[in-house]
Amino acid sequence: MRSLFLLLFVAGCSGGDPTATDPGLIFEDGFENSVDEVDILAEGGTMVRGFDAWLKISPKLTTLRPRNLSDYAYHDCAEMVAWFHAVTGDDNLITMHSGLTCQVYEEPRFKFENGRWLLADRSEGSYYYRIWKHNY
């Protein structure tokens, strides 16, 4: 019986990487839309020493509705473009262009480094989203 439980537990784990993030849960946490309303084009992240996850998404014939949008502030895109280019390798993020808009949100009640980034690439119709919480 114990062996069966262990086998079922191991079989139920996703891909074998216990530090990987779940792109569906990341999307649901950050957006009011259903995950069925977007294509998740790329994703990554880790849960080592905190949490850091990112998505590249493209809405399917719908408007993307981030949760708590009124709490986001517009921000300079340089840091976000460099960060997302480093993790995705997307050529459209090599240089800054007028089709990019960037917004940031940080939860001030938390006593640790945290935040959310939303980078919209209107020239491509895609969005990059990052959420993190670092425990040092």
Side-chain angles (χ1 to χ4, degrees), residues 12-34:
C13 292
S14 63
D17 183 357
T19 65
T21 57
D22 182 327
L25 292 177
I26 301 305
F27 180 82
E28 289 173 3
D29 180 69
F31 298 90
E32 294 175 357
N33 303 69
S34 164

Side-chain angles (χ1 to χ4, degrees), residues 89-110:
D90 287 353
D91 289 339
N92 62 308
L93 295 177
I94 291 174
T95 58
M96 297 283 295
H97 57 82
S98 62
L100 300 177
T101 58
C102 298
Q103 295 172 281
V104 299
Y105 171 67
E106 182 177 322
E107 177 54 68
R109 295 176 298 159
F110 295 157

